[in-house]
Amino acid sequence: MNNIPMVSVAVITYNHSKYIRQALDSILMQKVDFEYEIVVGDDCSPDDTQDILREYQALYPDKFKMILRDKNIGGTKNGYDVKMHCTGKYVAHLEGDDYWIDQNKLQKQVDFLNANPEYIGTAHKMI
């Protein structure tokens, strides 16, 4: 990725091998007219989460920044470190065991924020 992304999607994960594919696919399905990056921090999962993350890194090397820890540092430090690796103008958050259902989610949020500079963030109903 050569351009500075408009959005960084920050994903923290631990022991999410059953869910991480759905989470990442829900990000990759986004229909956008801007660059975005996906920054994933895995906190030394004992399951095969890191193997799955390596698969996605190999398939989309320009889209992902993977932080694959070999020692558990805890959710707070992992989340902080992931955010420090984000380079986008905006940061969207997604836990490794969650997923998005709207393929236009990021585009809607960016359009709103760009059109309304007095706002610093967006939120939405969760089901």
Side-chain angles (χ1 to χ4, degrees):
M1 188 171 4
N2 297 341
N3 300 329
I4 295 174
M6 177 66 69
V7 176
S8 295
V9 182
V11 181
I12 60 169
T13 185
Y14 176 76
N15 219 21
H16 289 153
S17 65
K18 294 179 184 176
Y19 317 104
I20 194 67
R21 289 182 194 280
Q22 187 175 22
L24 298 179
D25 289 342
S26 78
I27 301 168
L28 292 167
M29 77 171 184
Q30 293 297 300
K31 306 276 189 218
V32 297
D33 63 7
F34 52 80
E35 295 286 329
Y36 69 94
E37 67 180 358
I38 305 166
V39 183
V40 182
D42 179 75
D43 200 14
C44 193
S45 292
D47 63 4
D48 64 345
T49 300
Q50 288 195 7
D51 293 333
I52 295 167
L53 293 173
R54 284 185 194 93
E55 288 175 27
Y56 277 78
Q57 174 92 57
L59 289 170
Y60 307 95
D62 294 338
K63 191 63 75 181
F64 283 96
K65 287 184 187 175
M66 295 291 182
I67 305 164
L68 306 178
R69 302 187 194 291
D70 57 8
K71 180 181 175 189
N72 186 276
I73 63 171
T76 301
K77 287 182 180 177
N78 187 36
Y80 177 80
D81 188 51
V82 166
K83 287 176 194 71
M84 292 298 98
H85 282 85
C86 293
T87 59
K89 178 178 180 180
Y90 303 118
V91 177
H93 299 272
L94 182 66
E95 300 277 332
D97 61 349
D98 203 355
Y99 62 95
W100 295 335
I101 58 173
D102 184 349
Q103 67 184 5
N104 299 304
K105 172 193 169 44
L106 290 180
Q107 188 67 57
K108 289 175 186 177
Q109 291 176 314
V110 167
D111 288 348
F112 177 84
L113 290 169
N114 285 342
N116 298 280
E118 66 275 18
Y119 287 86
I120 63 165
T122 64
H124 55 81
K125 215 172 169 180
M126 295 179 3
I127 305 172

